[in-house]
Amino acid sequence: MEKYTQLTYFSSKYENIVIALGMFDGLHIGHQEVIRTAVKKAQEIKGTALVFSFANHPRAVIVPEGAPHRIGCQSVRLRILKNLGVDALVEIAFTSSFAETTANGFIHLLQQYFAPKYIVVGENYTFGRGGRGNPNLLKEQSGRYGFHLIVCPPVLYGGVPVSSTRIRALLAQGDLSHVNAYLGYPFTVTGTVIHGQERGRTLGFPTANVSLHESYESPPNGVYAVMVVHKKHSYHGVANIGNNPTFGGYDRRLEVHIIDFSGDLYDSEITVSFFFKIRDEQRFSTADELIIQIKKDKEAAIKGLKESFRLQENISMVI
């Protein structure tokens, strides 16, 4: 998959472009339906499946104080798009000047740079200054600009439309079961392993420490059953998100004990996929009490992960 961060004349580089439009924050099952539809149509016409999106959330420019955190980091986003069969991703910066583009001006921009044969959007897609553009306008202008429009209906789960807003609310509640169902894959973060205080090693449970990026969503503090991927090898693990209250910690971070792994991970990138929450973060009176609880957490993770066959199959989306 090719990735571009600036607009250029893609119509001279690619044939029969089928373009999927959207913010695609989190790439949940609704977004995946839009993208799969574009990929399928591109294959039918022997064309190019292209995703056009923004590197930053538009609300970060329009209403910075109300801008949401992103769901999932960029590396995970790229892996999912590639695994969905996207040929090219155009992801430009949303700026204050771009925010002034009218809805009709945006459609003209699409014709100028992409000359798409098909445009694929979700039913609730909006575009242009003030979000005044919608699928109805695209349909009205399709004849003028020579493209066909495909509008994908919302994907429902439990009778409720899947949305990034809903996923954020569920994640804040620690409801990983529904978060993962909405995403269609386990909620995943990536990061570089940094040096910690090595308390886990002294307790008999060495951990890989990863800083949490403030601009991305993360589960609430607590202990979780996870799968860890390092250099295309996967392992079961127990992760703690929090401040290490037993030892008076303050910096919120992710610590992962990787089961049946030995080796040096410092400065390496790991991918951590969250399957279910084991317990809330808590403070223990002694290190021995903590050791006893960690053993219980490890047993709970091993047992639960063995039973999570379907979700483990879906991890292929993010690796």
Side-chain angles (χ1 to χ4, degrees):
M1 182 181 73
E2 299 292 330
K3 183 177 184 296
Y4 302 89
T5 58
Q6 292 183 332
L7 290 173
T8 187
Y9 294 101
F10 297 101
S11 56
S12 64
K13 181 178 178 65
Y14 298 108
E15 294 184 353
N16 298 331
I17 291 176
V18 180
I19 186 168
L21 300 175
M23 189 59 222
F24 302 125
D25 187 13
L27 282 170
H28 55 62
I29 56 178
H31 296 151
Q32 291 170 39
E33 181 62 23
V34 171
I35 293 168
R36 285 194 177 100
T37 300
V39 169
K40 182 180 178 181
K41 180 55 67 175
Q43 292 170 346
E44 289 176 0
I45 65 173
K46 295 181 172 55
T48 302
L50 187 149
V51 169
F52 180 34
S53 189
F54 298 108
N56 54 319
H57 201 290
R59 284 170 60 186
V61 173
I62 299 170
V63 282
E65 65 280 1
H69 291 167
R70 298 295 294 272
I71 303 171
C73 57
Q74 181 69 353
S75 58
V76 171
R77 177 183 174 90
L78 294 177
R79 290 172 195 169
I80 295 172
L81 290 172
K82 181 179 179 180
N83 289 333
L84 287 171
V86 173
D87 296 308
L89 168 65
V90 180
E91 199 170 56
I92 66 172
F94 188 90
T95 63
S96 55
S97 59
F98 194 94
E100 293 302 313
T101 305
T102 64
N104 282 313
F106 182 76
I107 298 174
H108 179 75
L109 177 150
L110 295 177
Q111 174 62 27
Q112 179 182 4
Y113 291 106
F114 302 98
K117 300 296 183 183
Y118 285 84
I119 292 178
V120 185
V121 297
E123 193 175 277
N124 297 318
Y125 177 70
T126 60
F127 59 93
R129 186 171 60 215
R132 293 186 176 89
N134 56 38
N136 289 334
L137 180 60
L138 286 171
K139 182 66 176 177
E140 290 173 8
Q141 297 296 321
S142 60
R144 175 184 177 186
Y145 288 104
F147 62 82
H148 299 281
L149 177 67
I150 300 176
V151 181
C152 298
V155 172
L156 305 180
Y157 184 88
V160 178
V162 175
S163 70
S164 299
T165 300
R166 180 65 176 149
I167 290 172
R168 287 190 185 90
L170 291 167
L171 192 58
Q173 297 166 18
D175 187 352
L176 278 176
S177 175
H178 282 95
V179 167
N180 292 343
Y182 278 34
L183 290 175
Y185 56 89
F187 179 81
T188 300
V189 300
T190 63
T192 302
V193 178
I194 60 175
H195 287 274
Q197 295 175 320
E198 300 190 356
R199 286 202 181 95
R201 190 177 303 278
T202 63
L203 296 173
F205 299 93
T207 59
N209 293 265
V210 177
S211 294
L212 294 171
H213 202 293
E214 291 183 358
S215 63
Y216 294 112
E217 295 284 0
S218 64
N221 289 2
V223 178
Y224 298 86
V226 301
M227 285 192 69
V228 181
V229 176
H230 175 247
K231 294 183 177 180
K232 298 186 177 181
H233 294 285
S234 59
Y235 307 87
H236 290 174
V238 181
N240 180 80
I241 294 181
N243 309 90
N244 209 338
T246 299
F247 298 101
Y250 296 98
D251 295 330
R252 188 171 188 263
R253 64 174 55 181
L254 167 64
E255 295 181 84
V256 187
H257 171 62
I258 307 174
I259 299 169
D260 296 329
F261 175 85
S262 61
D264 185 0
L265 287 174
Y266 291 125
D267 298 323
S268 297
E269 182 182 87
I270 61 173
T271 298
V272 183
S273 295
F274 292 76
F275 282 70
F276 60 89
K277 188 175 183 178
I278 298 173
R279 62 176 175 86
D280 291 333
E281 184 181 41
Q282 60 190 105
R283 185 180 187 281
F284 295 92
S285 300
T286 66
D288 288 339
E289 288 183 8
L290 175 58
I291 291 171
I292 292 171
Q293 184 60 55
I294 293 175
K295 289 179 179 178
K296 293 179 180 178
D297 297 338
K298 184 175 177 180
E299 292 171 0
I302 293 172
K303 182 178 184 296
L305 288 168
K306 284 182 178 179
E307 298 171 353
S308 303
F309 298 114
R310 183 175 298 177
L311 197 55
Q312 288 191 47
E313 289 176 357
N314 292 342
I315 200 173
S316 62
M317 286 283 292
V318 296
I319 62 175

